[in-house]
Amino acid sequence: MVKTPIYMDYQATTPLDPRVLEAMLPYFTAHFGNAASRSHVFGWQAEEASEKAREQVASLIGGSGREIIWTSGATESINLAIKGIANFYADRGKHIVTCKTEHPATLDTCKRLERSGWEVTYLDVDRTGRLDPEAVREAITDKTVLVSIMAANNEIGTIHPINEIGEIVKEKGAFFHVDAVQAAGKIPFDVNACKADLVSLSAHKMYGPKGVGALWIRRRPRVRLTPIIDGGGHERGMRSGTINVPGVVGFGAAAEIAQKELPEEAERILRLRKRLHEKIVSRLEDVYLNGHPEHRIPGNLNLSFAYVEGEGLMMALKEVALSSGSACTSASLEPSHVLRACGVSEDLAHSSIRFGLGRFTTEEEVDYVADRVVEAVTRLREMSPLYEMVKEGIDLKSIAWTAH
Amino acid sequence: MAYSDKVIDHYENPRNVGTLDKDDPSVGTGLVGAPACGDVMRLQLKINAEGIIEDAKFKTFGCGSAIASSSLVTEWVKGKTVEEALKISNQAIAEELALPPVKIHCSVLAEDAIKAAIADYRRKQEQLQQKQQGK
């Protein structure tokens, strides 16, 4: 019998790998020093641990440890990258290019800059959520300071052609920030292959601790930014505040494990995802894949179950931790901005479920979830007026619905 | 968000799921909401010559609170007169199910469904009378 609850929401967060916890523990107790303390061994030990972690995190993305700035998480990294570049290089122009399917950390940061006189272009994606590199080329003007694009999407898992985009951005002379939160440690990602200037990372998406992030900032050619947080001048003055030593040690350990195990792990998770997908679509009709069938991170499966509402479906699957693009799961009452940008109709956006698979997902869990999904969708369709109408041959688009 | 026990009970054991003959003149059908908004409720009421609701069936596309609201309403209206059923308010539904503010629209939809079903029934009855008078 499979143990419940089953965690299948790995794009939201991941559990700490026990090996990571083990690496962190001494830095809570014996090695508690402040990495900024230069006058004694406690400080030296902490600093040494932090420097090692920088190398581990940088190595995962093909960079150097000296290019890593520690932050409180990817939201802070993204804010620092975008606002930091905008404030430092504002005299070059006041234009940013980004994409409609970005994480709110990017979109809301850009919206705030718009209120202080910046112009932002939000690029469209195709039906699979992919950005056309040529659209980036067309959007960049002589006023463009920064292009900010995610490597892989958190909701639908779509991987952007980030290397081609980077090529174009550099050709045009703008800075390139990549939100690699969902990509790093999951698929091969290299700062030089994509010609990034800045890369945002999060520890807790790769089996590290929450509350820890990093911003990789290229040294050659040098990228400068205006800090958001002032204080003791830590992190080369770019991010003041005492380093969370146990946290960054955990991030380093997590990155090292991810780098070592990536090829094997990606293959195993991809196999599980395909199994889950197959076991669902072979037994249910009118199930639609959101995102790209191939250009997709291994651990993401996003499906719309027509005629069934996402939150209602998750309630039936209460022993499985999932998420939905349905409006009903958020306070906003608006369905997912990512699915809408892909042109998914609003009713199918309300019917979407994200299955997030990861390091500790088992085949047994996948089989159990597939069975439960098939059962629940079948039951809810029997209760769905839409399903009955479609079965009777009524075109749902012909009904004059009363929007509320 | 945690659901109240009553929402869970109605969601897991929905009362009166099903379909009545929509062409029967004693059956009123109310279809409210929109797929694009994430909720559609269909409530059907079978009303006898004395104006008493003899049977009620629903089908709902929506979240757990929407399903629970419609299930609850089918229980409440059975045995009531049309006039009594029209007095069921969304506040009463929301209160009974302890719906949080973000789910109040589910109870509003359930109230609308009762009104729509009764309006459909009345329309059918009028047509029937006109037909009979015409003969």
Side-chain angles (χ1 to χ4, degrees), chain B residues 24-63:
Chain B
D24 179 343
S26 68
V27 171
T29 300
L31 183 67
V32 294
C37 302
D39 322 84
V40 176
M41 280 183 198
R42 189 191 66 194
L43 178 68
Q44 294 186 297
L45 305 176
K46 187 173 172 61
I47 299 164
N48 69 16
E50 284 76 45
I52 290 168
I53 298 169
E54 284 187 335
D55 200 4
K57 295 278 184 209
F58 85 94
K59 281 199 176 186
T60 290
F61 162 83
C63 63

Side-chain angles (χ1 to χ4, degrees), chain A residues 108-129:
Chain A
D108 290 355
T109 299
C110 288
K111 277 180 202 138
R112 187 174 295 281
L113 287 171
E114 280 182 292
R115 290 199 288 273
S116 53
W118 283 74
E119 198 191 318
V120 182
T121 303
Y122 300 92
L123 294 172
D124 286 312
V125 291
D126 66 17
R127 295 191 72 82
T128 67

Side-chain angles (χ1 to χ4, degrees), chain B residues 6-8 10 23 25 30 37 44 61 67 74 77 86 91 110:
Chain B
K6 280 182 180 158
V7 168
I8 293 169
H10 277 281
D23 298 324
C37 302
Q44 294 186 297
F61 162 83
I67 290 171
T74 60
V77 297
L86 284 171
Q91 288 98 325

Side-chain angles (χ1 to χ4, degrees), chain A residues 96-100 102 106-107 110 120-123 147-149:
Chain A
I96 293 172
V97 174
T98 186
C99 174
K100 285 184 177 165
E102 293 293 306
T106 296
L107 294 175
C110 288
V120 182
T121 303
Y122 300 92
L123 294 172
V147 175
S148 182
I149 302 293

Side-chain angles (χ1 to χ4, degrees), chain A residues 34 42 68 96 100 105 128 130 138 141 151 165 172 175 181 193 197 215 228 230 235 293 297 311 336 355 363 365:
Chain A
N34 186 330
F42 295 91
I68 293 285
I96 293 172
K100 285 184 177 165
T128 67
R130 261 193 136 210
E138 280 161 32
T141 69
I165 294 168
K172 293 277 191 173
F175 288 108
V181 168
D197 294 296
L215 180 63
I228 297 173
D230 293 305
E235 306 299 285
I297 52 169
E311 191 194 345
S336 150
F355 301 87
E363 193 171 287
E365 287 176 339

Side-chain angles (χ1 to χ4, degrees), chain A residues 135-156:
Chain A
V136 177
R137 185 194 299 280
E138 280 161 32
I140 297 175
T141 69
D142 56 351
K143 300 269 180 256
T144 308
V145 173
L146 176 72
V147 175
S148 182
I149 302 293
M150 57 183 14
N153 185 271
N154 51 307
E155 287 189 30
I156 53 174

Side-chain angles (χ1 to χ4, degrees), chain A residues 16-17 19-24 27 48-61 65 68 70 185 201-204 206-209 212-214 243-260 359:
Chain A
L16 199 74
D17 189 298
R19 294 168 287 182
V20 171
L21 178 63
E22 204 170 314
M24 290 170 72
Y27 293 91
E48 199 185 316
S50 164
E51 294 310 304
K52 181 186 168 199
R54 284 186 214 277
E55 291 300 334
Q56 289 168 314
V57 171
S59 168
L60 174 66
I61 57 171
I68 293 285
W70 297 125
L201 300 168
S202 170
H204 78 99
M206 54 169 95
Y207 312 95
V212 189
I243 294 173
N244 169 4
V245 177
V248 302
V249 165
F251 195 178
E256 188 180 313
I257 294 167
Q259 189 175 359
K260 210 179 294 169
R359 183 170 293 166

Side-chain angles (χ1 to χ4, degrees), chain A residues 78 82 97-107 125 129-131 136 147-163 165-166 176-184 187 189 194 198-200 205 297 337-338 354:
Chain A
I78 292 168
I82 299 175
V97 174
T98 186
C99 174
K100 285 184 177 165
T101 58
E102 293 293 306
H103 189 274
T106 296
L107 294 175
V125 291
R130 261 193 136 210
L131 189 55
V136 177
V147 175
S148 182
I149 302 293
M150 57 183 14
N153 185 271
N154 51 307
E155 287 189 30
I156 53 174
T158 297
I159 300 167
H160 285 308
I162 209 78
N163 296 353
I165 294 168
F176 189 31
H177 168 241
V178 180
D179 164 2
V181 168
Q182 296 290 344
I187 54 170
F189 175 82
C194 71
L198 306 113
V199 174
S200 289
K205 308 286 192 190
I297 52 169
H337 72 283
V338 174
R354 180 182 71 181

